[in-house]
Amino acid sequence: KKATEVGYKLDRQVLALALTSMELSDSEQLMLRVTAHLPETFYYPWSFDYRGRMYPRGGIMNPQGTDLMKAIHRYAEAKPLGQHGHFAICMALADKLGFKGPKKEAMEQVLESDLPAVANGRDGYVAAGLACELLEIRKWVADGNNIEAFMSDVIVHQDATCSAHQIAALITGHRETAEATNCTAVSPKQKRNDVYQQVADMITESGTCLGEMTEKHGR
């Protein structure tokens, strides 16, 4: 779908959690007041910059904004989890909780964590929304349902800090860059690649002054 055709709705659980907080900024308090006037489904106009990146134009409301602003948005149209949906939600929460290492281990850490505490806002609003969804999935499965049939509208945010390299790899078909920036399929036991660390290692091994600085101070 085009970005302008993607509808959003509010995450009522996260919204209720935010309304009990005493630590919201002035802009977040204003944003919460705005939500009272939104329809059940709402849309954003989008614009592009010279790099091709997309930005929603919603004023105080922005699904790419702060932790709270990201967390209160859900897709208006739910989709079944399918084969990879549960894994994707776990990986998103793993990033929020700081679980690193192989994806399989990170997923196990997420599922073994105190999800009710996370859902109560212990680790931020996005983490709370993801934890709520995982708890709903857990209940769905416990009731004897197929996990792949669970209908989810949660938004999984992926941090692509090396997105320019990823886009270049896709345009040129350069496999090595695609692998270095995690654009290719990997096994659950494989660690996520870190292209910045690869560059830092190359510089460290260069025998130059910059290499000595990198070795001493890190990337």
Side-chain angles (χ1 to χ4, degrees):
K1 285 187 175 181
K2 296 178 181 178
T4 52
E5 296 176 346
V6 176
Y8 295 88
K9 66 180 182 181
L10 295 174
D11 187 318
R12 298 294 177 181
Q13 287 181 287
V14 172
L15 188 60
L17 182 64
L19 289 172
T20 65
S21 174
M22 303 296 291
E23 301 178 357
L24 297 178
S25 66
D26 291 342
S27 62
E28 288 174 330
Q29 292 180 38
L30 176 59
M31 182 267 295
L32 291 182
R33 290 198 291 272
V34 169
T35 62
H37 304 283
L38 290 173
E40 181 66 24
T41 299
F42 53 94
Y43 301 83
Y44 287 96
W46 293 72
S47 63
F48 297 80
D49 67 9
Y50 69 95
R51 300 165 296 182
R53 294 186 177 182
M54 301 172 62
Y55 301 93
R57 299 304 183 188
I60 194 67
M61 291 289 294
N62 189 336
Q64 293 180 348
T66 64
D67 180 67
L68 176 57
M69 290 188 185
K70 289 179 180 178
I72 66 168
H73 285 82
R74 287 207 172 208
Y75 289 125
E77 182 181 355
K79 297 284 187 178
L81 285 180
Q83 186 177 355
H84 304 291
H86 183 244
F87 175 77
I89 296 172
C90 287
M91 287 298 96
L93 185 53
D95 284 340
K96 285 297 176 182
L97 299 181
F99 297 152
K100 304 298 182 181
K103 294 182 179 181
K104 184 178 180 180
E105 292 181 10
M107 183 173 182
E108 290 173 351
Q109 286 181 287
V110 165
L111 297 177
E112 293 172 359
S113 62
D114 188 352
L115 289 179
V118 179
N120 199 38
R122 186 190 69 185
D123 300 278
Y125 293 110
V126 170
L130 294 168
C132 286
E133 193 75 349
L134 289 176
L135 289 171
E136 289 295 325
I137 294 170
R138 182 177 291 177
K139 182 178 182 300
W140 170 267
V141 173
D143 290 339
N145 299 299
N146 182 354
I147 190 172
E148 294 186 12
F150 182 87
M151 300 297 290
S152 178
D153 52 23
V154 71
I155 299 176
V156 175
H157 294 275
Q158 297 290 344
D159 181 11
T161 56
C162 51
S163 58
H165 301 299
Q166 294 172 332
I167 293 170
L170 294 171
I171 291 173
T172 62
H174 193 261
R175 178 78 187 187
E176 186 175 355
T177 303
E179 291 177 349
T181 54
N182 300 294
C183 283
T184 56
V186 296
S187 69
K189 295 182 179 180
Q190 185 175 336
K191 289 185 177 180
R192 283 167 278 185
N193 292 318
D194 185 345
V195 69
Y196 296 124
Q197 189 59 51
Q198 292 181 27
V199 173
D201 292 341
M202 291 170 61
I203 295 173
T204 301
E205 296 168 2
S206 66
T208 62
C209 292
L210 185 58
E212 293 177 3
M213 292 174 60
T214 305
E215 184 176 15
K216 182 177 179 180
H217 300 290
R219 71 187 195 188

